[in-house]
Every structure is written in structure tokens, then in C-alpha cells.
Amino acid sequence: VPARRFGVILVEPLPVVRAGLARLLADQRELAVLADVGTADDALQAIELHRAEQVVVLVGLNLDGDDSYWLIRTIRERFPTFTILACGAHAEAISISRALFMGADGFVDKNLEAAEFVSSVRNALAGEMVLAGPPKESIRAIAEGIEHRREAETRLTRREREVLNVAAEGLTAREIAQRLGVRERTVTTHLGRIYGKLGVGSRVAAIRAATDSGLVSLGARE
């Protein structure tokens, strides 16, 4: 009986790295590289073509701006059955925890030996939570980062997060009100509650705290 083949979509902005990873994964009998792309938008187009297949998406954490995290969350929401692996080179614990919070099923370091990298992909496809590469002392920081984001998200209502996302674009309270179709006073009330919940005293501090928690992305995409 032939081994079951799984599809791989590789999202990596550096062409040489992308080519090397694509060749490594294509050499595995049970893996088929369906697409290797360099941007989040190209990734979504590729995913749409293969949405009916069993797929693992490898997302580099070095996409432009916050595109890596936006892409991970978008894939998780639109294609919940897909396996998502974040990839980075010596990524910081805060970056890894943010990727996991957004919906990644694991993280694999691009500095691993080839055999260990492939093994990590296989383990993720088998349903395992993969953390391959981070030093053991950073695992606790990764877990704490995820918990911190969950706590921050539960403290803010959906409308408060919406107000904060728009505020991160640099709009005034009046402009935020116009964007959301509410009164300016309502916006200032929301901002006051946000400050209290996040334990800050200004909009800049609130945006910084929410950005650090992964609730808001500066220049966030729709």
C-alpha cells in the first residue's frame, strides 16, 4: 500500500531559503510541495487552490511587518483543519508565543539539521504540538507569553479591541467614531475602559501593551 502523501505550502520571503526548504521537503516520499511563495497574499491564493487536501503550511516569521501573524490567524480561521508550523531562525520567545497564540500548531527553527526539521514537520502532521529548536530555558517564557495574551484578550470586549485596532492607525476619537459609526463620546468611554483594563494611562501606552500582547498589530490588515 503506498504511503499517504501530505501537501506542503511553504511561505518564506527569502528566495534562497525558500528554495532550499522546498527541495528538502520535496525529497520526502510522503510529502508533496504544492506551492512555495514569498508573501502572505500569495500564500492565501495557493491555499484556496488546495483547500480540500490535507496540508501543512510552513509560515516564516520574517514576512513583512506583521504579515506572519496575520496569515497564521487567517489560515486558522478560514482553514481550521490545516496544520500550521511557524518557522524562524533563532526566534525570540515572544515571537514564538505570539505565533502559537494566533493559531500555529508549533514552531520549528530553520537552523535545525535537515533530518530534525523534516521530523518536526512529520510530527506536526501526526497531530503533535511541536517546539523544535528553542532552548529549553525559553519554553517557560513561551508558555507565559501565551497565557499573558489570553488574559489580555479576555479582559477586552470585542468592541474595545475594535476601537483599539482603529486607534492604532493614529486616528482621533472623532475619526474613530466616524469609522465605526458611533458617537465620539462612546469612543472616549471605550478608550477609558481600555486604559483601566490594561493598567495604562494613555493611548500610546495602551497600543503598546496591546501590540506586545498580540491583540493589535500596527498597520493591521483587514
Side-chain angles (χ1 to χ4, degrees), residues 120-187:
S120 298
V121 174
R122 289 183 178 132
N123 290 340
L125 282 167
E128 296 183 21
M129 171 68 177
V130 173
L131 282 176
K136 292 181 179 179
E137 58 269 21
S138 70
I139 300 299
R140 181 175 178 179
I142 293 170
E144 289 176 348
I146 295 171
E147 187 60 29
H148 177 67
R149 286 170 173 77
R150 285 175 177 163
E151 290 175 357
E153 185 170 57
T154 57
R155 285 202 299 269
L156 298 183
T157 66
R158 181 176 180 178
R159 180 55 115 180
E160 288 166 349
R161 293 198 299 273
E162 189 175 14
V163 168
L164 198 53
N165 266 293
V166 178
E169 298 178 23
L171 275 62
T172 65
R174 177 174 296 180
E175 290 169 335
I176 296 171
Q178 292 173 344
R179 170 80 68 84
L180 300 179
V182 299
R183 294 190 302 171
E184 183 177 350
R185 181 178 298 179
T186 301
V187 171

Side-chain angles (χ1 to χ4, degrees), residues 6-10 32-36 46 50 53-55:
F6 299 94
V8 177
I9 294 177
L10 180 62
V33 177
L34 305 175
D36 59 277
H50 302 283
E53 303 179 43
Q54 187 158 358
V55 171

Side-chain angles (χ1 to χ4, degrees), residues 47-87:
I47 290 170
E48 286 287 352
L49 297 175
H50 302 283
R51 59 188 308 155
E53 303 179 43
Q54 187 158 358
V55 171
V56 56
V57 186
L58 276 65
V59 179
L61 294 183
N62 53 334
L63 297 179
D64 288 343
D66 281 312
D67 276 8
S68 300
Y69 308 104
W70 174 83
L71 178 60
I72 289 170
R73 172 155 283 185
T74 301
I75 296 171
R76 179 53 63 224
E77 291 174 350
R78 296 186 191 176
F79 311 95
T81 63
F82 278 20
T83 298
I84 307 171
L85 266 182
C87 301

